Amino acid sequence: KRNVLIIGAGGVAQVVAHKCAQHNDVLGNIHIASRTVEKCQQIVDSVREKGSLKTAGELQAHALDALDVEATKTLIDKTQSQMVINVGSPFINMSVLEACIQMGVAYLDTAIHEDPEKICETPPWYANYEWKRKQRCADKGITAILGVGFDPGMVNTYAAAAVKEDYFDRVESIDIIDINAGSHGHYFATNFDPEINFREFTGRVWSWQNNAWVKNKMFEVKRTDDLPVVGSQTSYMTGHDEIHSLSHNLDVPNVRFWMGFGEHYINVFTVLNSLGLLSEQPVLTAEGQEVVPLKVVKAILPDPSSLAPNYTGKTCIGDLVKGQKDGQDKEIFIYNVADHEEAYAEVGSQGISYTAGVPPVAAALLIASGEWDVSHMVNVEELPHRPFINLLNEMGLPTRIKDEQGDRPLSF
Ligand code: NDP
């Protein structure tokens, strides 16, 4: 399969475009589409400026409203794309997936579908949307890889590696820990779209414990870990896409997700949330103007993509896996450390976008090679983990493992 259509033109799309360009000898022509063609053109210009294209090949920007299935189908056809990497807002997933199914092309995304009307979806998340299309994908032989960013994405592969390799006889728990120990230098900013970012934290927190869904409040449950490179870090139990698919696909009784927040972030977030400024419900001003508080907050916060040039520090994201081996309790931590400044130097984006944007391109390469061209819909943990980890070791996201034998690179 060749020729890639990238949908979306945000921070993650920028990374996807650069990485596709670095591998265009395999991936073929590259097209980038979002509603605002100028944003796509900026990405095209940045790829050209950095000289990221490996060989001469098409690289073009297009205007597309991806909620319009017919328009998306037309663009897939016009560009002769055989793979679509959807890194647009999660509101467009089901429309883009529909266009891919109808056109018979491969589909990849990095986040679960969201309904703009619903602030907090209740599990089972994938079953509410994407998985309803499983049968149609299988019937038409469509390869659809869901949630192939970092988290979800790489962390699903790490979970699969922990369960399927010979580390454990029995896995008791998978705790996914996501720490951004970087600094952007602003009083307050979100690393990606504030609307999407806050939605993760304003609702209930769901986790999979003792083979059942458990509900908590945000910032109610926390842990502190001494992690490689980033040191002692506190993280809070958070609901996240991959908890659902991992709990469904791997026979592990406890799957939880933890995201690191500084006290300052929590204080500002708590004030905004308590005042109602994160609400998506419109309010009337005294002058009779209708405003959506969350949209106002988004408008005044720094644009997440503007954070990249001055971002310093590192991220550490990984899976802490506990279980038993040969009758003994055992734990391993499989993880990656990424550097904001290195990401910016290579592709002009901050580290969060980098960690999210490199894996879908590795996945596209594995579809092109046939290793991941499975002709049905899957989550990442259902695919062979070895080629993915090995490929990402070479593409800028090296995996490491820490266990009783020490802390070392992981490859197969
Ligand atoms: P941005 O908000 O920066 O970009 C989203 C893009 O979607 C915009 O460029 C927007 O462009 C485009 N878009 C929105 N609506 C439409 C539409 N109807 N048709 C076409 N394009 C549209 O997001 P990020 O780049 O930060 O993130 C992209 C995706 O990656 C998100 O789904 C996010 O949740 C996910 N993500 C996943 C991570 C992971 O590790 N798995 C980590 C970080 C992000 P325009 O306005 O021009 O249409």
Side-chain angles (χ1 to χ4, degrees):
K1 287 196 169 76
R2 281 171 68 81
N3 300 339
V4 178
L5 173 61
I6 301 165
I7 297 185
V12 179
Q14 159 109 2
V15 178
V16 170
H18 276 268
K19 283 290 175 185
C20 283
Q22 291 174 10
H23 297 274
N24 73 337
D25 53 333
V26 176
L27 296 176
N29 297 332
I30 301 162
H31 295 270
I32 308 167
S34 80
R35 291 168 302 187
T36 328
V37 70
E38 292 79 15
K39 289 195 213 165
C40 304
Q41 190 57 47
Q42 273 177 16
I43 294 180
V44 167
D45 295 344
S46 133
V47 171
R48 293 205 190 283
E49 273 161 32
K50 285 220 187 280
S52 294
L53 282 170
K54 185 166 182 191
T55 63
E58 268 181 51
L59 173 66
Q60 275 176 29
H62 304 267
L64 172 73
D65 181 352
L67 290 173
D68 181 341
V69 174
E70 288 306 314
T72 309
K73 283 166 60 185
T74 303
L75 189 59
I76 291 170
D77 185 45
K78 192 174 118 191
T79 56
Q80 289 293 296
S81 298
Q82 292 176 312
M83 290 192 260
V84 173
I85 301 182
N86 171 22
V87 280
S89 118
F91 305 139
I92 67 174
N93 282 17
M94 294 309 285
S95 318
V96 177
L97 177 59
E98 181 60 35
C100 289
I101 294 173
Q102 291 189 26
M103 293 302 288
V105 302
Y107 171 87
L108 301 95
D109 69 28
T110 63
I112 208 161
H113 181 80
E114 283 186 44
D115 180 338
E117 305 294 317
K118 295 190 187 158
I119 188 89
C120 181
E121 296 270 359
T122 48
W125 295 301
Y126 283 108
N128 293 337
Y129 296 103
E130 282 88 346
W131 286 1
K132 291 185 173 155
R133 301 284 176 275
K134 259 184 193 249
Q135 192 57 49
R136 281 180 64 213
C137 285
D139 291 345
K140 286 203 72 181
I142 309 286
T143 297
I145 303 180
L146 304 178
V148 65
F150 205 99
D151 42 343
M154 279 304 278
V155 298
N156 301 54
T157 285
Y158 293 166
V163 170
K164 294 175 192 170
E165 295 288 339
D166 199 24
Y167 302 120
F168 296 96
D169 296 327
R170 181 184 150 71
V171 173
E172 199 57 45
S173 63
I174 299 173
D175 286 290
I176 300 163
I177 304 173
D178 176 333
I179 303 293
N180 175 16
S183 163
H184 48 57
H186 290 267
Y187 174 76
F188 187 79
T190 57
N191 293 306
F192 49 100
D193 187 345
E195 265 183 89
I196 306 294
N197 200 187
F198 291 137
R199 284 164 72 95
E200 282 188 355
F201 319 134
T202 39
R204 293 282 168 200
V205 167
W206 291 95
S207 59
W208 184 253
Q209 304 201 59
N210 299 319
N211 289 309
W213 287 106
V214 175
K215 201 160 66 164
N216 284 96
K217 287 206 252 339
M218 190 64 209
F219 302 125
E220 186 184 336
V221 191
K222 66 177 174 180
R223 61 184 293 139
T224 299
D225 297 274
D226 190 15
L227 298 171
V229 183
V230 297
S232 175
Q233 297 284 344
T234 299
S235 59
Y236 295 81
M237 196 189 269
T238 311
H240 231 241
D241 317 1
E242 55 270 44
I243 301 169
H244 175 225
S245 72
L246 292 173
S247 65
H248 182 88
N249 290 323
L250 303 178
D251 184 20
V252 175
N254 298 285
V255 184
R256 292 167 289 240
F257 185 93
W258 306 83
M259 187 165 282
F261 296 96
E263 258 176 61
H264 175 70
Y265 184 102
I266 296 173
N267 287 340
V268 175
F269 173 88
T270 305
V271 170
L272 291 174
N273 199 26
S274 310
L275 291 175
L277 283 166
L278 301 183
S279 168
E280 290 171 317
Q281 298 304 315
V283 292
L284 270 185
T285 67
E287 293 74 26
Q289 233 185 337
E290 195 180 87
V291 290
V292 176
L294 179 57
K295 301 266 181 204
V296 176
V297 170
K298 176 174 171 170
I300 54 174
L301 285 178
D303 175 354
S305 62
S306 73
L307 305 175
N310 299 314
Y311 225 124
T312 56
K314 295 183 197 303
T315 64
C316 175
I317 314 175
D319 294 26
L320 180 66
V321 184
K322 293 187 183 177
Q324 287 86 39
K325 178 76 180 166
D326 301 329
Q328 302 277 317
D329 286 345
K330 174 176 175 174
E331 69 175 61
I332 63 175
F333 186 51
I334 307 180
Y335 70 100
N336 163 266
V337 169
D339 184 290
H340 289 289
E341 285 170 277
E342 281 172 20
Y344 185 68
E346 185 192 333
V347 300
S349 295
Q350 35 95 338
I352 309 285
S353 304
Y354 191 86
T355 55
V358 181
V361 182
L365 287 164
L366 292 174
I367 292 177
S369 74
E371 282 160 286
W372 274 21
D373 195 11
V374 290
S375 303
H376 61 277
M377 175 183 279
V378 285
N379 291 83
V380 177
E381 64 275 17
E382 296 173 79
L383 294 162
H385 55 277
R386 289 183 166 195
F388 195 46
I389 289 174
N390 288 347
L391 185 53
L392 281 157
N393 280 338
E394 290 159 20
M395 287 179 70
L397 288 180
T399 294
R400 295 181 67 87
I401 183 167
K402 190 178 169 196
D403 61 9
E404 72 282 357
Q405 292 165 36
D407 185 338
R408 57 198 186 283
L410 180 65
S411 62
F412 298 98

